[in-house]
């Protein structure tokens, strides 16, 4: 374990000059020290039900047939049948949401232990491996859950039907709850759950928001401590997978766990760091991570590459939105002036072309579009070509 002290640091290496280290983090058998015990036990209590949640969402079937019957043949019988089928499913979705609140509560506590104090990120990882293992398990759970959620459109359909039907069944809520306050609390919970499941990756959103909140609320801990810890842990995962140390895993699925953790750390770093992960100044070896993923079997790598593709497309559209807002304000007076002469469409269309070209150029500079095999970043020369 002492080799961890020679790990990559900001002054020793960067993504342009990768170095090899024989580093091994025990993601299988790490045991907490006395200083970790309190936080470890609290986190372990939350993670106890993570496996059952993944099993439930993995076999989630939905009530599509009953809902279609209730909509196409809106009789009391079909609507009651659909409602009775949807209610247990919504209860499961409620449990998923409540678990996300628990993750939101414990993640800042783990980060507080791993990012605070006078120790370097490498020393934290070496001396607090039990908490590192738990943080890795959280990242793996987040990616697995969101992968299942994106493959299960029935979740969104069932909950949408549930919310639409609630307003028509207030009498039932009154009989069940017994008071208006309880009934209102159910409606408020449904609204919060709706916002949660509206995200394509709801658990990742919770994780990134919890990390961002931790950074904002702990001003005494420099943001560099958090980003450096995430970057160092990602580098450790990359070096472990590239080195013969991967053969030390007792279970085959541990290698996939480390792959997921590495990708989750890249995404989390991108959300927390002011400049993001996909820049030349990034302290992460993103190209190395992508290269390693592409060397894996498609079954293992494709969901993780898709997660990175999603982040890149999000950055692309965010970039377009930012420049669109700036240039619309800048050229608003010009558009108003030329509108009378019939040139308004001409002016706005060329503005749109410039925005798309600029955003595409920014992405190509990172060289990640080619690495991730993204074929649909548009090359626009005219409005007609778009």
């Amino acid at each position: 374990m002492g080799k961890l002290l020679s790990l990559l640091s900001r002054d020793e290496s960067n993504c342009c000059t990768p170095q090899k280290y024989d580093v091994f983090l025990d993601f299988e058998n790490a045991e907490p020290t006395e200083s970790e015990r309190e936080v470890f036990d609290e986190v372990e209590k939350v993670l106890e039900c993570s496996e059952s949640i993944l099993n439930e969402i993995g076999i989630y079937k939905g009530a599509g047939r009953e809902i279609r019957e209730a909509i196409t043949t809106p009789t009391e019988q079909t609507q009651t049948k659909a409602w009775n089928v949807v209610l247990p499913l919504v209860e499961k979705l409620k449990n998923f949401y409540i678990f996300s609140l628990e993750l939101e509560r414990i993640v800042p506590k783990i980060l507080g232990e791993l990012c605070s104090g006078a120790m370097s990120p490498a020393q934290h990882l070496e001396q607090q491996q039990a908490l590192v293992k738990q943080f890795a398990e959280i990242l793996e759970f987040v990616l697995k859950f969101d992968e299942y959620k994106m493959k299960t459109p029935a979740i969104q359909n069932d909950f949408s039907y549930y919310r639409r039907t609630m307003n028509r069944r207030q009498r039932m809520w009154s009989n069940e709850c017994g008071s208006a306050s309880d009934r209102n609390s159910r409606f408020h919970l449904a609204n919060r759950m709706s916002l949660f499941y509206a995200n394509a990756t709801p658990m990742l959103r919770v994780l990134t928001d919890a990390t961002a909140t931790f950074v904002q609320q702990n001003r005494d801990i420099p943001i560099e401590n958090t980003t450096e810890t995430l970057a160092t842990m990602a580098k450790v995962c990359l070096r472990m997978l590239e080195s013969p140390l991967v053969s030390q895993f007792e279970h085959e699925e541990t290698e996939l766990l480390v792959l997921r953790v590495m990708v989750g750390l890249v995404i989390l770093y991108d959300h927390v760091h002011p400049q993001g992960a996909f820049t030349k100044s990034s302290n992460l070896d993103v190209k190395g991570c992508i290269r390693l993923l592409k060397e894996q079997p498609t079954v293992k790598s494709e969901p993780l590459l898709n997660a990175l593709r999603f982040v890149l497309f999000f950055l692309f559209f965010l970039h377009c939105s930012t420049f669109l807002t700036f240039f619309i304000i800048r050229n608003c007076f010009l558009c108003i002036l030329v509108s009378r002469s019939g040139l308004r469409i001409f002016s706005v269309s060329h503005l749109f072309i410039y925005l798309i070209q600029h955003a595409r150029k920014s992405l190509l500079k990172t060289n990640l579009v080619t690495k991730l095999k993204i074929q649909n970043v548009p090359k626009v020369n005219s409005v007609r070509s778009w």
Side-chain angles (χ1 to χ4, degrees), residues 88-185:
L89 297 175
V90 171
E91 190 65 25
K92 288 184 179 181
L93 299 180
K94 175 185 172 183
N95 293 335
F96 301 163
Y97 172 71
I98 292 175
F99 184 80
S100 74
L101 299 180
E102 289 295 301
L103 286 185
E104 189 176 23
R105 180 180 63 83
I106 63 172
V107 165
K109 295 187 177 183
I110 296 181
L111 292 176
E113 294 293 323
L114 296 178
C115 302
S116 61
M119 290 191 296
S120 67
Q123 291 171 328
H124 275 293
L125 296 183
E126 182 184 31
Q127 299 180 23
Q128 298 175 301
Q129 291 206 17
L131 292 180
V132 172
K133 174 177 174 289
Q134 287 184 323
F135 190 53
E137 291 173 351
I138 291 174
L139 287 168
E140 184 188 37
F141 169 83
V142 165
L143 291 180
K144 279 185 175 181
F145 183 94
D146 288 345
E147 182 181 346
Y148 283 133
K149 193 266 181 183
M150 287 191 287
K151 292 179 179 179
T152 315
I155 291 176
Q156 198 78 355
N157 296 335
D158 292 348
F159 197 74
S160 296
Y161 177 81
Y162 169 76
R163 291 196 69 204
R164 292 196 304 269
T165 310
M166 283 181 66
N167 293 328
R168 300 197 303 265
R169 302 183 70 91
Q170 290 191 20
R171 181 177 300 176
M172 174 179 289
W173 287 120
S174 178
N175 293 335
E176 289 183 358
C177 298
S179 68
S181 61
D182 291 338
R183 190 162 61 251
N184 289 335
S185 66

Side-chain angles (χ1 to χ4, degrees), residues 11-38:
D11 298 329
E12 293 173 341
S13 65
N14 51 51
C15 63
C16 301
T17 60
Q19 303 180 33
K20 304 295 182 181
Y21 292 86
D22 294 331
V23 178
F24 184 78
L25 288 177
D26 193 353
F27 287 112
E28 295 177 324
N29 304 309
E31 293 294 332
T33 61
E34 286 302 319
S35 61
E36 298 174 272
R37 176 64 64 181
E38 182 179 354

Side-chain angles (χ1 to χ4, degrees), residues 3 38 56 80 123 182 304 309 334 366:
K3 294 180 180 179
E38 182 179 354
E56 288 183 3
T80 302
Q123 291 171 328
D182 291 338
L304 301 177
R309 291 185 183 110
L334 173 63
T366 66

Side-chain angles (χ1 to χ4, degrees), residues 230-245:
L230 298 176
T232 302
M233 190 174 172
K235 292 179 202 176
V236 171
C237 294
L238 178 60
R239 302 302 178 238
M240 286 175 64
L241 293 167
E242 289 180 335
S243 71
L245 291 170

